[in-house]
Amino acid sequence: MTGSHRTQAGGRIDRQKKINFTFNGKSYVGMEGDTLASALLANGVHLLGRSFKYHRPRGIVAAGAEEPNSMVQLGEGAVTEPNIRATQISLYEGLSASSVNVWPSVEFDVSAMNGLFAKIFTAGFYNKTFMWPRDMWIKLYEPVIRRAAGWGKAPTTSDPDIYDHMHLTVDVMVVGGGPAGLSAALAAGRSGARVLLIDEQSEFGGSLLSLNRQIDGKNAAEWISETVSELAGMEDVTLLNRSIAFGYYDQNYLCVLEQRTDHLPQAMRKGKVRQRVWHIRAIEVVLATGAHERPLVFANNDRPGIMLAGAVQTYVNRYGVLPGRKMVIFTNNDAGYETAIDAKAAGANIAAILDAREEADGELIEAAKALGIRILPGYAITGVEGGKRVKAVEVRKIQKGAKVYTSAPERIACDLVAMSGGWSPVVHLFSQSQGKLHYREEEVCFVPGTPVQKQSFAGALNGSFSLSACLEEGAKAGAEAATKTGFTAKAANALKVDEPAMGRIEPFWIVPGARPVGEGGAKHFVDLQNDTTAADIELAVREGFESVEHVKRYTLTGFGTDQGKTSNINALAILSGILDKPIPKVGTTTFRPPYTPVSYGALAGRNLGDWSDPVRITSIHDWHVASGAEFENVGQWKRPWYFPKAGEDMHAATNRECLAVRNGVGVLDASTLGKIDIRGKDAAEFLNRIYTNAFAKLGVGRVRYGLMCHEDGMVFDDGTTARLAEDRFLMTTTTGNAAVVLDWLEEYLQTEWPELQVYCTSVTEQWATVSIAGPMAGKVMAKLAPEMNLSNDDFPFLSFKEGTVAGLKARVFRISFTGELTYEINVPWAQGRALWEAVMEAGAEFDITPYGTESMHILRAEKGFIIVGQETDGTTTPQDLGMGWIVSKKKPDFIGKRSYSRMDTSRTDRKQLVGLMTDNPSEVLPEGAQLVFDKNAPRPMPMVGHVTSSYYSAALGHSIALALVKGGHSKMGETIHAPLLDKTVTARIVDPVFYDKEGEKLNG
Amino acid sequence: MAKLANWITPAAALADSFPAGLKELAPRAQVSLRGNIDDKAFVDAVKTVAGVTLPKKANKVATGDKMKALWLSPDEWLLVGEEATQDALVAALEEALAGQHIAVNDVSANRTIFALEGLHARDALMKSCALDFHPGNFTAGDCAQTVIGKSPAIIEQVSLTDYHLYIRGSLSRYVGGWLAEALKEYSEK
Amino acid sequence: MLYIDCPWCGKRNETEFHYGGEAHIARPEDPSALSDEQWADFLFMRKNLKGPYAERWCHSNGCRRWFNVIRNTVSHEILAVYKMGETPPDLGPKKGEGV
Amino acid sequence: MAHSNSDAGAYARWNPGRKQGEPMVKYSIFTIARNAMTSHKNWPRQWRSPEPKPEYDVIIIGGGGHGLATAYYLAKEHGVTNVAVLEKGWLGGGNTARNTTIVRSNYLWDESAAIYEKSLQLWEGLSQDINYNVMLSQRGVLNLAHNLGDVREGVRRVNANRLNGVDAEWLDADGVKEFCPIINISKSARHPVLGATLQRRGGVARHDSVAWGFARAADARGVDIIQNCEVTGILRDGGKVTGVETSRGTIKAKKVAMVTAGHSSVVANMAGLRLPVESHPLQALVSEPIKPVINCVVMSGAVHVYVSQSDKGELVMGAGVDAFNSYGQRGSFHVIEHQLGACLELFPIFSRVRMMRSWGGIVDVCPDASPIISKTPVEGLYINCGWGTGGFKATPGSGWAFAHTVAKDEPHPLNAPFSLQRFETGALIDEHGAAAVAH
Ligand SMILES: Cc1cc2nc3c(=O)[nH]c(=O)nc-3n(C[C@H](O)[C@H](O)[C@H](O)COP(=O)(O)OP(=O)(O)OC[C@H]3O[C@@H](n4cnc5c(N)ncnc54)[C@H](O)[C@@H]3O)c2cc1C
Ligand SMILES: NC(=O)c1ccc[n+]([C@@H]2O[C@H](COP(=O)([O-])OP(=O)(O)OC[C@H]3O[C@@H](n4cnc5c(N)ncnc54)[C@H](O)[C@@H]3O)[C@@H](O)[C@H]2O)c1
Ligand SMILES: Cc1cc2nc3c(=O)[nH]c(=O)nc-3n(C[C@H](O)[C@H](O)[C@H](O)COP(=O)(O)O)c2cc1C
Ligand SMILES: [Zn+2]
């Protein structure tokens, strides 16, 4: 019976365009312009899901973002999505959706048995039970609870869709495209200001799309389309529909989720960006976010078919759907009457209007009367019949403020209840922006208080519920905002609006049922999604949870995916009643982003995979890839880890690479080291203060190794620095620390010692560095740079030369991290690849061997050289490393010096760097092994240190390790143990220099 | 002076996959210059050697007949000129500025330059950078040091719709790929 | 995302900057003259004020200048920006409270 | 104005309160069933709401988990019951209400391992001890390694933990996949998973229940819990503390213990103390509830995210602190975006899951990422602070040790290393390396 609930005509749907979709496996037909919710209602489907705790049948309540119930699992396979509200899904051809968290079906859900235990499952019940026997919690109770957890399901495969981010700066941002927002945007746009107007809905117009109104003698729809097209024609106006402002942060930073393809059939989405997060910086923000209607709290108010009156009006007027044929209206303000009138005009039978107010008169009431609608003033619903769909209501005359019924119950049959408990302005974004709310007694709602950022408010958000006020406030806010940003703007003349006058609203927070709240079978739901009832709130208070925040957490009100858009105010009003404390004193809970849920994919944008963190590569990288290198991540850099030949594992490859360096020649891409040019007449003095050792006397053309410490005395970087000229140095830093060190230098120069004349310039990527090392390095070098005098006298260790290498302008350093004769050749970065290839060619006859970071680590460990971050962990001083020789005693001060004399830092039994040799020469200790002196001590075992580096040394034919050991410097030759999971390894403490102690190989 | 030989940056490998509106430029001479803008001797000497008056105003580009100067910080500029002229420029500057508190560094290889051109150049930037590229705020002759995606960048606007982006060599493949992806949406239309 | 007014480059997103903590803690002229307690005070003790707070930022992805900011640590409002070496501006009795 | 038509007079009837020292009602399925029969109208308050007395033996400033636990253990272990906990807002509303609830004890250094392990042992019997289900769920905590440095540090920590008697395992990438099947361990990931430390006894607990449970148990032993009572001054006579000034008047005390997490500096300043702490925002978020997909806690320092799924189905996630100081209980949005990028690297199937709520807390961070549980230079004044991003797990242990320190006027050996003096001597307990994400 498709389309059976469609009205004859009207609405903003295209009755010619039929759309096929399925829900819970059943096929239906909707129309272009429908939401899933309107299409289902048109097909007579109200029951969409089940509640969380009791699994009670639940239907559609609202027509927009505030919907608490109708979450569905949308789509299938890789594109399935949990918990999407049917009211926010634009219908598209081929849509498929199903109910969430029901088994086997929404019609018959086994977990509805929970309802039988409803008396037990009160708020906070889990705190009070499941404690005995103790281990049953993890074995039984928790698993059972967890199985019941959650609504829909995450996909099981990766997301095929694309997401991205945009940044936009505007003069005026208008949030909400209802009458207030549209007129704000228009006023601002006409001034020439840069304006952004956004609305979450598929089209602009807001609640005007649901109302029968005349503006300026035109249909509202016409006014909307004229306004939108005028805006669209303005060069500096951006219009974004299907775009939700979900976060309002400091300094007018707003984030907006634009849904670009979610309304399209799957086949039309391919290759397009699905969702885009806009990052907006606005000088002025105009909030015109409207208001959400509030439900009324009465016995069994959760039955499918009980809806918000405004939503009913929306379905009737905007979607051409009659959600029910026989309606009961329950209201405490005039809005319900308009729903009745519109629904009646569309063909519904209005069984009665129950007006909680004893006295109500005015235009709409008169109009309803004139239509012959039965009006029951001072009446309320005290009971509901029907499980999966409301069948009838029990109504009584009720005296407000007391539990007194002044009439016998009457049963009124109906298939729909439209309720209106008043309006809650959508203050979410304002509150997120740190604004404080103000309570308006008259309108019974919270509105924004004083602006806290450059912002203003218009329309229903302000508690101004008439269309004329919305238009006027909007125009004024838009014009003022534009003016503040420096444009000349004025609000257009007021438009003539045809609208009914609205009377006063009377608060009516809770309707007692036949029995007191909390007794008997009926439940008064406050938060439909979390099954929080008025009785739960009473219980919370009874148990001492009096703060609104405690009530929220104890009862879970407002904790759901709707974040309590329809429930929070009712809950706090009920709380206010119990505590007998005025509503504003009770206060609201904290509004937090996002306004509505946002997919992780959209938030991550394109920052996935290799774009999650930029990959930095050297100019030689592609050669390494082509040569089959395995890579290691070092910070953002990719560095060759080792170069396996066919059939080699890492161990075999590094053995070969290391031996090549020790016996022949190896080559390393060292381009990743940080390089900083330091220049000025005080450069030497500056380095003297930065490094622990002295730099003032370093000769021009010479190079020195230095350690940098923090003020607390702990090592944080090391590297070599060359003196290029009297007033000029070139510093190298470790790969991961280049930017950190530069910031560090600048910090001291700019904040502590501005009197020093020094400039620092990063030249890291100006120079590609190729390091050739080994006894044959000199031979290779001679071929590459025939003109360069390579003799030890002319070009000694720790010096550099400028010249031509392989035809390229180069700077060559003689420094060594391997203990072998080494030339570090620097050429302009983009010529690195050419240099590398020249080196490979020149070295071919010596079987030159490329090596990676792993071999580099082994080679330096054989020499006892440290790696910052491996031998150090932020708690290591130079003295701990046995590098006291590099800490100047003469310099009056340098960074870190003062800290060495502190009590703990000057202890002589600190953890100190030593070498370890295992008793079994082929046993390689795991790095990170902890060390003890007494291997038989009970746990907790007194640990004396740990292994920082450990390798098999092919050159030495046995394993080697470096370790930090308590008092290690005075324990040479002693035995130490590493208790591992399955065995304990014994080693001897030795000097950390394992290879070529005398340094004879440095010169080849 | 000869063209720079064997000049290969990581971005080069992407050249074939770049959509219209994006390309890597041939290398240019790039020299980093530090000095005191309030010192007339400094400014004059640079003007004589490089033919350009260093901009004092933040985020501005000054154009001379041989080269241009991008403001990078209150005491730092990037001089950009013809390919392969950097050695001569460095030498001339060193000579002219001898004795002053300055720093001159050849950084021609430090950054590679992308040209981002055409109607959608600004859209691609808006996807990559939080700066405001509206013509009322950023226009030809403006430059900025900022971030593209997650990479540091210097952005220079060279004409109404064209931009040059100076990117660290090691990050050039990342940024090139990122921009190509950002433009894809528009080139497919 | 704070919007920080670099004294040179103008307003930029927080992500271009590096935070440097409390401002106006000068490195002692002669650290060796300090007691351990005084040295610890310099190294570790911070005012950590609630309300207006003078702090340092570096425009590390821009002009690389360090500068001072007075920012309210509750509202995150930036009340003043001034260069290194300059004395904090007088924000009047109300706003400048606690600086 | 008109309120609801619930009977306000009944409020008094529902809230008979409980006299000080009156035994609390024992919670169990049986008492629930019994109360169901009277429509739950007879439950007593979980804690009283007393007026402050003029004087107490001990005043605890701060009604977070640590303050309440301190009060509980003062009463239980040391018989000190003339105690008030003063909370400026609602109890448990500080970081206790807003943390991602990771509980573990696998810290690197001996000092840390000892106190966190003590805490974990207390956790293991806590629900029974305080007769309040804190929903401790020992589902295992994975700490992922993404580069060789991480691996080295992870192995180091596992070894140290084992020798300290703390359960710890090292898993390789396949082991990680087996333990948590939805993790992406692809070698081509930007930062591939190379392995992980696993503490099986680690897990999560229900944050609110911890505060409420300790409050109820402390109250039952006579402790006065006074909410909406902000301490505005600390009274001293010479070098000795004599009481506090509050928004509800002056209250005298022989001893005062400050346990105010994010506000440590503000409160310490009232006694003229400067602290080595800085307050930073730390953000967290939850997704919409989804059916269970992840049955352990996953933390990654290198890509910066940590994730678990609550018993209600939300994915509970967090990352590192915002860089700047703040008391705003909120941070910057880019931190959240960055964290979700990291999350999708590890869990690509979460791409279509949606963030439902995000929030922030204020954490007080020490330079060495370790807490302070210490006497102060002012006699009778004690401080417990600096837990930074990771103090929830320490709640019982911290309260236990702090209670000892306050009762005996000297630290327990477990907290002696966590003194204020360490910043002078240099004996810091630097947990940075092992705690890049220190939750
Ligand atoms: C987002 C986030 C995630 C975290 N994740 C974890 C995690 O996974 N695991 C973990 O172990 N830890 C985590 N932590 C840290 C943990 O939450 C805290 O270390 C711990 O909760 C601190 O407890 P507390 O009782 O000391 O502080 P709080 O709970 O903050 O209590 C301090 C109390 O002092 C009150 N107070 C302040 N000033 C005054 C005053 N003047 N007068 C009276 N009262 C005052 C405050 O209102 C507050 O209630 C996280 C923290 C955050 C913010
Ligand atoms: N009968 C009554 O008492 C009553 C009550 C309330 C409203 N109204 C009518 O409703 C209209 C109110 O006009 P208005 O312009 O103030 O509000 P509106 O409801 O017409 O428009 C607000 C718009 O903002 C959008 N929005 C809200 N939050 C958003 C977000 N975070 N991101 C993007 N978009 C968001 C909504 O989708 C909506 O389209 C008037 O016509 C008024 O008469 C009447
Ligand atoms: C472990 C944990 C789980 C949470 N789960 C939810 C949730 O399911 N729904 C929700 O709305 N908020 C949830 N929150 C967040 C709280 O609503 C709230 O944001 C947080 O406690 C901070 O308080 P505030 O936002 O009121 O400042 C959760 C918080 C924590 C610590
Ligand atoms: Zn700047």
Side-chain angles (χ1 to χ4, degrees), chain A residues 294-302 306 308 330 332 356 380-384 398 405 419-422 507-513 517-518 522-528 532-538 557 566-575, chain D residues 4-6:
Chain A
R294 282 193 298 264
L296 286 160
V297 180
F298 52 91
N300 292 339
N301 56 341
D302 66 325
I306 301 181
L308 291 166
F330 183 17
N332 66 351
I381 297 178
T382 56
V384 173
I398 186 162
Y405 303 112
M419 59 183 165
S420 178
F508 195 62
W509 300 116
I510 188 166
V511 187
V517 164
K523 293 197 173 300
H524 293 67
F525 284 95
V526 178
D527 184 312
L528 288 174
T532 307
T533 64
D536 286 324
I537 297 177
E538 290 183 350
T557 305
T566 53
S567 61
N568 286 344
I569 302 292
N570 282 339
L572 79 87
I574 290 171
L575 177 62
Chain D
S4 86
N5 42 2
S6 305

Side-chain angles (χ1 to χ4, degrees), chain A residues 393-626:
Chain A
V393 290
E394 178 200 78
V395 308
R396 302 183 208 221
K397 185 144 174 101
I398 186 162
Q399 198 178 38
K400 195 163 59 67
K403 301 174 182 175
V404 181
Y405 303 112
T406 53
S407 77
E410 177 188 342
R411 180 181 184 277
I412 303 179
C414 62
D415 63 354
L416 188 113
V417 174
M419 59 183 165
S420 178
W423 298 82
S424 300
V426 183
V427 296
H428 303 63
L429 292 178
F430 169 69
S431 295
Q432 288 178 20
S433 80
Q434 304 303 307
K436 297 273 171 294
L437 300 177
H438 166 71
Y439 190 71
R440 290 256 290 261
E441 297 276 351
E442 190 81 346
E443 282 78 18
V444 193
C445 64
F446 281 100
V447 296
T450 323
V452 286
Q453 302 196 28
K454 291 183 177 173
Q455 58 191 190
S456 52
F457 325 109
L461 168 66
N462 259 344
S464 306
F465 296 132
S466 79
L467 175 56
S468 50
C470 290
L471 293 168
E472 205 178 308
E473 284 181 15
K476 187 161 166 278
E480 281 178 8
T483 308
K484 284 188 199 144
T485 66
F487 291 83
T488 319
K490 68 173 189 4
N493 294 335
L495 299 168
K496 200 176 107 31
V497 175
D498 267 344
E499 64 180 325
M502 290 280 168
R504 86 207 142 81
I505 169 178
E506 217 169 79
F508 195 62
W509 300 116
I510 188 166
V511 187
R515 302 188 55 188
V517 164
E519 293 178 22
K523 293 197 173 300
H524 293 67
F525 284 95
V526 178
D527 184 312
L528 288 174
Q529 194 174 105
N530 279 312
D531 275 344
T532 307
T533 64
D536 286 324
I537 297 177
E538 290 183 350
L539 172 65
V541 178
R542 187 175 299 131
E543 293 195 77
F545 296 89
E546 292 167 0
S547 143
V548 65
E549 296 288 3
H550 274 157
V551 171
K552 164 185 166 177
R553 287 164 171 80
Y554 198 63
T555 66
L556 301 186
T557 305
F559 237 56
T561 66
D562 59 338
Q563 291 284 291
K565 292 189 179 62
T566 53
S567 61
N568 286 344
I569 302 292
N570 282 339
L572 79 87
I574 290 171
L575 177 62
S576 131
I578 300 171
L579 296 173
D580 200 17
K581 204 169 158 185
I583 286 178
K585 278 257 153 57
V586 171
T588 64
T589 53
T590 306
F591 293 85
R592 295 276 192 183
Y595 169 67
T596 53
V598 187
S599 71
Y600 285 14
L603 293 169
R606 292 197 293 155
N607 299 301
L608 300 174
D610 274 0
W611 286 336
S612 62
D613 189 21
V615 176
R616 296 181 73 179
I617 52 179
T618 73
S619 56
I620 311 169
H621 181 81
D622 290 339
W623 190 96
H624 306 320
V625 174

Side-chain angles (χ1 to χ4, degrees), chain A residues 164-169 194 236 260 271 273 276 278 606-607 610-619 621-622 637 677 679-680 728 746 757-766 808-809 828-831 833-834, chain B residues 4-10 13 32 34-36 75-76 87 94 101-110 123 126-132 134 137 150-151 168-171 173-174 177-178 181-182 185-186 188:
Chain A
D164 73 6
H165 292 170
M166 255 315 185
H167 302 268
L168 181 66
T169 308
R194 289 163 70 187
D236 269 338
R260 295 168 63 86
V273 172
R276 171 169 290 165
W278 289 78
R606 292 197 293 155
N607 299 301
D610 274 0
W611 286 336
S612 62
D613 189 21
V615 176
R616 296 181 73 179
I617 52 179
T618 73
S619 56
H621 181 81
D622 290 339
W637 291 93
D677 182 89
R679 181 161 180 187
R728 192 169 182 196
E746 289 288 2
Q757 287 201 352
V758 179
Y759 286 126
C760 299
T761 307
S762 166
V763 290
T764 297
E765 278 131 294
Q766 172 62 21
L808 303 165
K809 186 186 102 175
W829 203 78
Q831 291 168 326
R833 173 77 183 256
Chain B
L4 296 163
N6 301 310
W7 200 265
I8 304 175
T9 73
S32 157
R34 312 285 304 265
N36 180 359
D75 58 13
E76 183 175 10
D87 289 349
E94 287 285 4
H101 173 39
I102 51 102
V104 180
N105 273 288
D106 173 12
V107 289
S108 308
N110 211 31
D123 295 309
M126 282 167 69
K127 285 190 188 178
S128 317
C129 177
L131 290 195
D132 178 10
H134 186 273
N137 185 65
K150 294 180 177 175
S151 163
R168 295 288 189 111
S170 65
L171 287 159
R173 190 170 292 176
Y174 162 80
W178 173 278
E181 178 72 24
E185 170 180 356
Y186 310 106
E188 274 170 1

Side-chain angles (χ1 to χ4, degrees), chain D residues 61-69 85 87 90-96 211 214 259 395:
Chain D
I61 311 175
H66 286 224
L68 294 164
V85 178
E87 166 55 48
W90 40 286
L91 70 84
N95 289 338
T96 304
F214 269 122
V259 204
T395 304

Side-chain angles (χ1 to χ4, degrees), chain B residues 81-134:
Chain B
E82 285 293 303
E83 178 173 3
T85 59
Q86 61 267 34
D87 289 349
L89 177 62
V90 167
L93 284 170
E94 287 285 4
E95 195 184 318
L97 298 172
Q100 299 194 24
H101 173 39
I102 51 102
V104 180
N105 273 288
D106 173 12
V107 289
S108 308
N110 211 31
R111 297 189 184 89
T112 195
I113 310 174
F114 290 104
L116 184 60
E117 301 169 336
L119 279 182
H120 293 292
R122 204 170 117 203
D123 295 309
L125 284 178
M126 282 167 69
K127 285 190 188 178
S128 317
C129 177
L131 290 195
D132 178 10
F133 293 102
H134 186 273

Side-chain angles (χ1 to χ4, degrees), chain A residues 682-995:
Chain A
D682 299 314
E685 167 63 19
F686 178 55
L687 291 176
N688 249 6
R689 298 184 192 183
I690 290 285
Y691 279 125
T692 60
N693 47 343
F695 272 79
K697 299 225 174 68
L698 182 67
V700 173
R702 303 304 302 247
V703 183
R704 182 165 290 167
Y705 172 81
L707 274 184
M708 251 180 238
C709 295
H710 283 144
E711 291 283 14
D712 66 0
M714 305 302 159
V715 172
F716 98 97
D717 204 63
D718 69 344
T720 57
T721 294
R723 191 163 203 162
L724 304 181
E726 198 52 45
D727 65 346
R728 192 169 182 196
F729 295 82
L730 181 69
M731 173 189 282
T732 63
T733 75
T734 56
T735 297
N737 260 351
V740 180
V741 170
L742 182 59
D743 271 3
W744 176 251
L745 300 182
E746 289 288 2
E747 179 174 352
Y748 275 86
L749 276 176
Q750 292 178 37
T751 72
E752 300 295 350
W753 306 317
E755 72 282 2
L756 293 186
Q757 287 201 352
V758 179
Y759 286 126
C760 299
T761 307
S762 166
V763 290
T764 297
E765 278 131 294
Q766 172 62 21
W767 299 105
T769 307
V770 174
S771 173
I772 48 182
M776 300 294 180
K779 296 225 162 75
V780 179
M781 197 61 209
K783 281 178 71 181
L784 288 165
E787 270 119 68
M788 203 174 268
N789 184 343
L790 300 177
S791 72
N792 279 323
D793 295 337
D794 199 67
F795 193 0
F797 181 55
L798 291 179
S799 70
F800 74 90
K801 269 185 188 248
E802 286 171 352
T804 303
V805 177
L808 303 165
K809 186 186 102 175
R811 202 183 261 148
V812 185
F813 295 85
R814 268 204 65 195
I815 48 187
S816 176
F817 198 38
T818 59
E820 300 296 333
L821 171 67
T822 304
Y823 296 94
E824 282 202 8
I825 312 163
N826 289 258
V827 297
W829 203 78
Q831 291 168 326
R833 173 77 183 256
L835 172 66
W836 182 273
E837 283 174 7
V839 168
M840 291 308 294
E841 199 184 308
E845 63 177 293
F846 310 102
D847 197 16
I848 192 165
T849 303
Y851 67 98
T853 50
E854 186 66 18
S855 293
M856 175 183 90
H857 284 191
I858 299 172
L859 293 162
R860 63 88 207 181
E862 288 171 345
K863 290 293 297 173
F865 296 150
I866 63 150
I867 291 206
V868 172
Q870 185 158 345
E871 271 63 54
T872 70
D873 61 4
T875 69
T876 326
T877 64
Q879 296 85 347
D880 297 343
L881 295 169
M883 295 169 83
W885 53 270
I886 209 173
V887 181
S888 165
K889 308 270 179 313
K890 289 200 210 108
K891 290 196 289 183
D893 189 18
F894 57 84
I895 297 173
K897 178 171 170 129
R898 172 62 184 83
S899 288
Y900 300 130
S901 56
R902 294 179 303 173
M903 195 209 290
D904 190 74
T905 323
S906 58
R907 277 190 295 116
T908 52
D909 64 342
R910 288 175 58 86
K911 289 185 181 158
Q912 294 158 341
L913 188 73
V914 297
L916 297 183
M917 291 222 328
T918 46
D919 288 0
N920 171 356
S922 56
E923 172 99 49
V924 181
L925 280 163
E927 288 173 352
Q930 292 287 332
L931 300 167
V932 301
F933 286 133
D934 177 2
K935 65 176 173 180
N936 299 317
R939 292 183 184 189
M941 264 177 141
M943 286 170 257
V944 296
H946 75 285
V947 175
T948 58
S949 295
S950 178
Y951 312 94
Y952 183 76
S953 163
L956 296 165
H958 61 75
S959 71
I960 56 167
L962 298 175
L964 285 165
V965 173
K966 224 171 173 176
H969 291 160
S970 58
K971 296 207 155 52
M972 289 301 146
E974 291 185 22
T975 299
I976 199 163
H977 311 277
L980 304 176
L981 186 57
D982 46 354
K983 61 182 169 189
T984 294
V985 180
T986 301
R988 204 157 36 83
I989 298 176
V990 298
D991 184 281
V993 184
F994 295 93
Y995 186 83

Side-chain angles (χ1 to χ4, degrees), chain A residues 119 127 131 142 146 149 159 161 250 279 510 542-543 546 563 590 593 598 600-601 609 613 904 941, chain D residues 5 11 40 45-46 128 133 137 163 190 209 291 295 330 337 345 351-353 355 357-358 425:
Chain A
K119 284 267 157 206
N127 286 322
M131 287 177 275
E142 195 191 27
R146 293 203 85 200
D159 191 340
D161 278 320
D250 293 323
H279 301 73
I510 188 166
R542 187 175 299 131
E543 293 195 77
E546 292 167 0
Q563 291 284 291
T590 306
V598 187
Y600 285 14
D613 189 21
D904 190 74
M941 264 177 141
Chain D
N5 42 2
Y11 177 47
H40 299 282
R45 296 181 67 101
Q46 299 201 357
Q128 290 72 26
N133 192 348
S137 174
L163 301 189
R190 175 67 184 92
S209 305
K291 299 306 288 175
N295 194 24
R330 65 190 192 281
E337 285 186 317
E345 282 296 284
S351 176
R352 298 177 93 87
V353 173
M355 170 169 88
R357 186 176 175 96
S358 62
T425 63

